[in-house]
Amino acid sequence: MKNRLTQAVIVASVASALVATPVFAEPTVDDLKKNKAAAESEVGSLQEELTQLVSKISQLESDLIEKGEEITKAEDDLKEAQKQEEEQYEDMKLRIKFMYEEGDTSFVETLVSAKNFSDLVNKAEYVQNVHTYDRQMLTAYVETKQKVADLKDTLEEEMASMEDMQQQFESDKDSLDATLESKQAEIANLDGEIQAAVEKAAEERRKEEEARQQQARQQETAQTPSGDAGPGSTGGGVSKPSTSQPSYQGQGDTAVAQAIVSAAYSQLGVPYKWGGTTPGVGLDCSGLVQYAHRVAGISIPRNSEAQYAAGKKVSNPQPGDIAWKPGHVGVYIGNGKMIEAQQTGTNIMVSNVRAVGYARYW
């Protein structure tokens, strides 16, 4: 009786397990390939969007540099106007002193001293012209000064707006980078699943269809680009496009690299200034990098994207290389650090390197 009860429990348990455990069909190779193709298409779209964003950031950087230069000119114009104001103020003080010493009757005496009516008219016109000239010059100066001040305010507002745009672009780019990295990891996983499925299918067929498996391998080999010439060719094969980097003028001179680093160090504490190219006064990120290379005797482009594009790309950065990310550059100084002009409101500083690529000119 006890054995029967035990057998009944076992049977019931097995039946229950069979009912409660759903059976899922393994994804086929075609399903996995479709999933991979869809993910790759999404990555391609993200990469295109990222490229467009990098282009926008680069254009924005150029616009900011141009605006920064315009602001610098407006500041110079304002200083000149203030200098003129001081000079005119000193002239006015002398004029007032003269009028005080001569007394209030000076102009009246000038008119009374006229010898005839024609002389009187001339002297009256002279007095009027003096007053008119003074008023016109003062009015023109005040208007010019106000115009320069208004221009400076307008340019600063535009700069603030453009900086907000750049921050938004950077935020969007970071989000895209994260999404792209996630999808690339997903595709790598899909590649593994596809490979496992193919191997499993091949193993099952190997015992039954050895010939078919061999044919499949031959087809796979035929689909792999080999670079050989096509049928009927009597030559030595089709030449492949060159993958070498553009002509590079640097000689790998570490003394030059050290000169770049030293020049960058010399600007620590200098204020960040959009469009700034004056060492010791104000520099932006690409202005700092350009200056450091100029001190070392190397001429490089002005904006960050051009600086990176024209240099020799390196994967193992050394001190003196340019650390680049879209819209920003710094001078790599080793040990994961760089010297950079980071953003408005900061001074040139040493910071942890933030880069997606490195370029070399030395």
Side-chain angles (χ1 to χ4, degrees):
M1 180 68 178
K2 183 176 181 180
N3 291 338
R4 291 179 181 176
L5 180 58
T6 300
Q7 291 175 354
V9 170
I10 293 174
V11 171
S13 298
V14 172
S16 176
L18 291 174
V19 172
T21 305
V23 178
F24 295 100
E26 293 185 1
T28 65
V29 172
D30 287 341
D31 290 338
L32 293 173
K33 286 183 177 179
K34 288 179 181 179
N35 290 340
K36 178 185 177 183
E40 285 180 335
S41 176
E42 184 174 352
V43 168
S45 176
L46 286 169
Q47 288 174 334
E48 181 179 355
E49 187 176 352
L50 182 60
T51 299
Q52 293 175 352
L53 184 58
V54 169
S55 178
K56 287 180 181 178
I57 290 175
S58 177
Q59 181 59 50
L60 179 59
E61 180 192 3
S62 296
D63 292 343
L64 284 167
I65 289 173
E66 182 178 351
K67 285 296 181 184
E69 292 170 349
E70 290 177 2
I71 284 181
T72 298
K73 183 179 184 305
E75 289 172 342
D76 291 341
D77 291 343
L78 183 57
K79 289 179 181 178
E80 181 62 28
Q82 290 170 337
K83 180 180 178 181
Q84 291 176 359
E85 180 187 27
E86 292 174 359
E87 292 174 351
Q88 186 170 6
Y89 176 67
E90 292 299 323
D91 292 341
M92 289 292 292
K93 286 199 301 184
L94 289 174
R95 188 68 177 274
I96 292 171
K97 179 181 179 182
F98 171 79
M99 292 176 64
Y100 175 77
E101 291 175 349
E102 291 295 322
D104 295 336
T105 62
S106 59
F107 288 124
V108 175
E109 290 176 352
T110 299
L111 296 175
V112 171
S113 66
K115 297 177 180 180
N116 52 47
F117 181 76
S118 177
D119 190 24
L120 175 64
V121 171
N122 289 337
K123 290 181 181 298
E125 185 177 359
Y126 166 75
V127 171
Q128 180 64 35
N129 286 342
V130 169
H131 284 289
T132 301
Y133 174 79
D134 288 343
R135 282 198 308 272
Q136 288 176 343
M137 290 301 295
L138 181 59
T139 300
Y141 171 72
V142 170
E143 290 177 349
T144 300
K145 180 181 177 182
Q146 185 61 47
K147 180 180 179 180
V148 173
D150 290 344
L151 176 61
K152 182 173 178 287
D153 289 342
T154 299
L155 289 172
E156 288 177 345
E157 290 175 1
E158 291 179 358
M159 284 281 291
S161 175
M162 293 174 73
E163 286 167 6
D164 289 341
M165 291 172 60
Q166 186 181 35
Q167 290 177 1
Q168 183 61 51
F169 282 144
E170 290 285 358
S171 176
D172 291 345
K173 184 185 72 63
D174 290 342
S175 176
L176 273 173
D177 284 343
T179 303
L180 186 60
E181 184 178 353
S182 171
K183 289 299 178 182
Q184 285 176 333
E186 182 178 334
I187 288 177
N189 183 51
L190 285 171
D191 284 338
E193 291 183 11
I194 291 172
Q195 184 63 32
V198 170
E199 290 176 356
K200 182 178 180 180
E203 181 65 24
E204 292 175 350
R205 291 195 305 269
R206 185 173 294 114
K207 298 177 181 179
E208 301 176 358
E209 304 179 25
E210 185 68 26
R212 182 178 176 182
Q213 182 192 31
Q214 182 64 30
Q215 183 180 3
R217 285 199 297 266
Q218 291 174 351
Q219 291 177 350
E220 183 179 354
T221 301
Q223 292 174 357
T224 302
S226 61
D228 295 335
S233 172
T234 58
V238 179
S239 62
K240 296 181 180 180
S242 173
T243 58
S244 62
Q245 296 183 358
S247 176
Y248 169 58
Q249 301 300 323
Q251 302 298 320
D253 190 340
T254 55
V256 175
Q258 185 56 48
I260 295 172
V261 172
S262 297
Y265 266 110
S266 74
Q267 298 304 300
L268 288 177
V270 172
Y272 180 98
K273 183 177 180 62
W274 270 114
T277 56
T278 307
V281 177
L283 295 165
D284 57 22
C285 67
S286 55
L288 168 65
V289 172
Q290 187 183 51
Y291 165 73
H293 282 74
R294 184 168 67 247
V295 169
I298 302 172
S299 177
I300 65 174
R302 176 63 178 91
N303 93 338
S304 62
E305 183 183 31
Q307 289 175 351
Y308 177 69
K312 176 185 177 181
K313 309 305 179 294
V314 292
S315 58
N316 182 26
Q318 300 296 319
D321 290 340
I322 295 176
W324 174 86
K325 63 176 290 187
H328 188 64
V329 283
V331 175
Y332 185 71
I333 59 174
N335 298 319
K337 302 289 185 180
M338 68 178 180
I339 296 177
E340 63 173 340
Q342 193 174 100
Q343 61 186 11
T344 302
T346 65
N347 296 333
I348 294 175
M349 67 185 78
V350 175
S351 57
N352 292 329
V353 69
R354 305 182 314 283
V356 296
Y358 298 89
R360 179 176 299 167
Y361 286 89
W362 50 272

